[in-house]
Amino acid sequence: MVGMTKDNFATISDRVMCQIRHDILCGEFEAGQKLILSELKERYQVGGTPLREAMVQLSWQKYVKMEPQKGFWVADVSLDELRGILKARLALGHVALKDAIKKGDEAWELQVLTAFHKLNRLDPESALFDYDEWELRHKEFHLSLVACEGSEFILDMISNVYDQQERYRHFLLNANLSPEKQYHDNGEHEALMKAVLSRNVELSCQLLKEHGERLYQILEKAPSLKALLN
């Protein structure tokens, strides 16, 4: 697990939060599953107070559902929710992308290139593929496209929406999936990078839309989201 050593976190609850989030994303816990605190304390070797703090943070981030006096459950997933997430991301992304293409300087271009090459070095089909590292690099690439002067506020909003979409993308990165069901890049990130750096606003927005829509289309074809993991 990338960057999960205790020295990487300010508090114990931060570490535990990231560990539980990682295990949710990678299928260690199923959507809708009840999370028993006593079992989590043993699993993550943590006390009750930091564990509860971690669970509350995860509920704010919508990875966990919290019901007072009843406990915690892994947040459920649905195509309707994914459609809403994608609509929000594309609405924000198109505005930010147009602004970045208009304002972006050489430093921005270098940032986009660097982020793409870091992402492109990871192969989802490799036996050594690291899901956590891919997630970090994938997010870094998409945020680099819109990270220009004055973009801080909308960048933060896009980052939050992106994190919600990641819960669904990890269905297609699960190591237990058959090769035909797993995520494949198909050159989409390179095409998007080239369109952005060529300052083609219309093409960039279209490719971003298609890139997001493909996740929905793949999951929509499954009898159920959970069926993907069977």
Side-chain angles (χ1 to χ4, degrees), residues 171-172 176-178 181 218-219 222-230:
F171 274 100
L172 305 182
N176 297 323
L177 289 177
S178 58
K181 290 181 179 179
I218 293 173
L219 294 178
S224 72
L225 294 179
K226 291 181 181 179
L228 283 169
L229 303 180
N230 295 330

Side-chain angles (χ1 to χ4, degrees), residues 112-124 129 133-134 137-138 140-141 185-191 193:
V112 171
L113 280 169
T114 300
F116 168 74
H117 285 298
K118 287 173 64 179
L119 174 63
N120 201 44
R121 290 176 64 86
L122 297 181
D123 180 8
F129 180 60
E133 185 64 24
W134 186 90
R137 296 187 187 190
H138 186 252
E140 182 181 69
F141 169 71
D185 175 84
N186 293 331
E188 292 176 20
H189 292 114
E190 182 174 7
M193 180 266 296

Side-chain angles (χ1 to χ4, degrees), residues 9-228:
F9 301 98
T11 66
I12 295 174
S13 62
D14 286 341
R15 172 180 62 81
V16 176
M17 179 194 68
C18 287
Q19 289 176 322
I20 297 175
R21 177 179 179 273
H22 167 271
D23 288 346
I24 289 173
L25 287 174
C26 291
E28 295 295 326
F29 302 113
E30 294 184 0
Q33 177 180 342
K34 185 169 185 178
L35 298 171
I36 309 300
L37 294 184
S38 60
E39 295 176 358
L40 297 180
K41 287 167 66 175
E42 179 68 23
R43 179 186 180 106
Y44 298 107
Q45 293 295 291
V46 64
T49 298
L51 175 59
R52 284 186 174 277
E53 290 175 354
M55 297 299 284
V56 170
Q57 290 184 66
L58 287 167
S59 71
W60 291 343
Q61 298 172 18
K62 301 188 184 302
Y63 287 95
V64 166
K65 179 182 178 182
M66 177 176 66
E67 292 190 15
Q69 310 303 319
K70 293 184 179 181
F72 299 90
W73 286 260
V74 177
D76 214 340
V77 291
S78 71
L79 287 173
D80 285 342
E81 181 184 61
L82 176 58
R83 169 58 62 185
I85 291 170
L86 288 173
K87 284 183 177 179
R89 184 181 172 194
L90 289 174
L92 293 168
H94 286 176
V95 171
L97 197 55
K98 291 175 182 178
D99 200 40
I101 290 174
K102 179 181 178 180
K103 296 180 179 178
D105 55 14
E106 288 186 358
W108 168 74
E109 292 180 350
L110 180 59
Q111 180 176 273
V112 171
L113 280 169
T114 300
F116 168 74
H117 285 298
K118 287 173 64 179
L119 174 63
N120 201 44
R121 290 176 64 86
L122 297 181
D123 180 8
E125 298 183 35
S126 169
L128 300 177
F129 180 60
D130 188 312
Y131 301 106
D132 297 289
E133 185 64 24
W134 186 90
E135 178 191 337
L136 290 171
R137 296 187 187 190
H138 186 252
K139 182 175 182 178
E140 182 181 69
F141 169 71
H142 278 282
L143 293 184
S144 75
L145 299 176
V146 297
C148 65
E149 182 181 354
S151 67
E152 292 80 11
F153 182 76
I154 196 169
L155 198 63
D156 187 55
M157 295 177 66
I158 291 173
S159 176
N160 290 332
V161 174
Y162 177 95
D163 288 342
Q164 293 306 307
Q165 186 178 338
E166 201 66 22
R167 292 190 295 135
Y168 290 85
R169 184 176 290 104
H170 268 260
F171 274 100
L172 305 182
L173 291 173
N174 191 286
N176 297 323
L177 289 177
S178 58
E180 66 272 11
K181 290 181 179 179
Q182 288 182 351
Y183 173 86
H184 299 280
D185 175 84
N186 293 331
E188 292 176 20
H189 292 114
E190 182 174 7
L192 182 55
M193 180 266 296
K194 289 181 176 178
V196 168
L197 293 183
S198 66
R199 311 282 175 152
N200 189 327
V201 174
E202 183 176 349
L203 179 59
S204 297
C205 289
Q206 179 61 32
L207 291 174
L208 182 64
K209 181 178 185 295
E210 292 174 357
H211 182 60
E213 286 286 337
R214 192 162 71 89
L215 172 62
Y216 182 89
Q217 291 165 1
I218 293 173
L219 294 178
E220 187 181 34
K221 292 177 182 177
S224 72
L225 294 179
K226 291 181 181 179
L228 283 169

